[in-house]
Amino acid sequence: YMGTVFNRIIEANIWLRHFWPVPSNLPEPNIYCTEYFSYSLMLRPCHRRLNCLHRPLLRAVTHSASRFSTFSQARADTSVKYVLGIESSCDETGMAIVSSQGKVISHHVASQFEIHHQYNGIVPHLAARQHDIMLPVVFDRVMAESGMEMENIDSIAVTRGPGLAPCLGSGVKFASSLSQKYNCPIIPVNHLEAHALICRLFTKIHFPFLCLLISGGHTELWVAKNVGDYELLGCTLDDAIGEAYDKIARLIGIQKTDIAQHYGALLEQVAQQGGSEELKFVVPLSNVHHRNFCDFSFSGLKTAVRRYVMSKTDIENPQLSSVEQASIAAAFQKAAITHLEQKTSNALEICQKHYPSFQQLLICGGVACNKAIQESLTQTAARYGKEFVVPPPAYCTDNGLMIAWTGMEKLMSRQGLNSPTAQLVVNPKEQVGPKVVR
């Protein structure tokens, strides 16, 4: 491969000197030093000065040079490890390569909004079929952007669960084929654990810490004692908060202007337009006063909103006004956030008693992007003297980087490393850890 790069550079140097002489203030190009590659990249603006016959050659040279430059920088330290992460638990096909130094080498996510929006939900077999199509495409793109070869990857991390079984199967099957082809160890990753550990890539987070995971499929509180060691304090007894947000948004008639928009984010926007002082919904499980109780429930709140909407609409007036939509959205969000506050406060008290060294409250998952939730839980954490942490918005939703970094954490701690011949089994209902009662 490198011989081809050098040959292209030498051939192109003849053409470049003829059509575009080297400026006098630049050093003599040398194919064995990085200055030449910077010089090659500087020549991109002069594509238009060369005729069409020579443009493909120049593009090939600059592309190959930039790939070699990225690759040589990445492999300058042979002690650095690299992990390829693969995510396919639901409707996002995500891949990323990350180094043990915390550097994101490449990252890409392919979504399936256009396929599923007409069904108002994810269709598992359609999602799995699209994963089968997009996994090779995303893999080629990530490898091309990284400038690396699979031989330089130290391990492959892949989501094993929880998630949709057909989608998980697509990712595990693809990862296993790569593992066997390149004789690369494979690491199964828990999707929920990855949502939490991605924060350690961007922020200094020390074990133990308290994690609140809020997404379309999960609402959980757990203590992270170490990589791979978690205690579940509470979870939803019925619906997840993300699912409740989506269903209420549809119920009150909020419309998307773009298929890529999420109903939960739209409901948050509508809620900002209305006050919740006049209309109030009962906070779920507010009659449970046991301080060790950390479970959630959103089905009763959804039912209360549905009954209220039915009382305000009929055959003659089937649609709510924008004012009514804003009022209902604000009241629903107020009750949902108060519910999160109450159970998170219970968990904070448990942690202070049993894990006195913990200092951070972390929230993660797709719903963690909600600004109102962030502001409320920031105040909750401050009351207990704890630091509030949330991942960057781009990494709250499903992505390959969180799988890659969790795989790196496991690789460095030598956890879950499997040989290429290992038969991984997906676990759609996998838990992050055992539930404990304090």
Side-chain angles (χ1 to χ4, degrees), residues 124-143:
H125 74 275
L126 293 181
R129 185 186 305 170
Q130 189 65 14
H131 283 309
D132 291 335
I133 296 172
M134 292 305 300
L135 281 166
V137 176
V138 175
F139 172 73
D140 289 342
R141 177 167 179 174
V142 167
M143 296 307 297

Side-chain angles (χ1 to χ4, degrees), residues 279 306-314 317-320 324 328:
L279 176 62
R306 182 179 294 108
R307 287 176 177 173
Y308 182 82
V309 171
M310 291 175 63
S311 69
K312 292 295 182 179
T313 57
D314 52 33
N317 300 294
Q319 299 293 330
L320 295 170
E324 290 174 323
I328 295 172

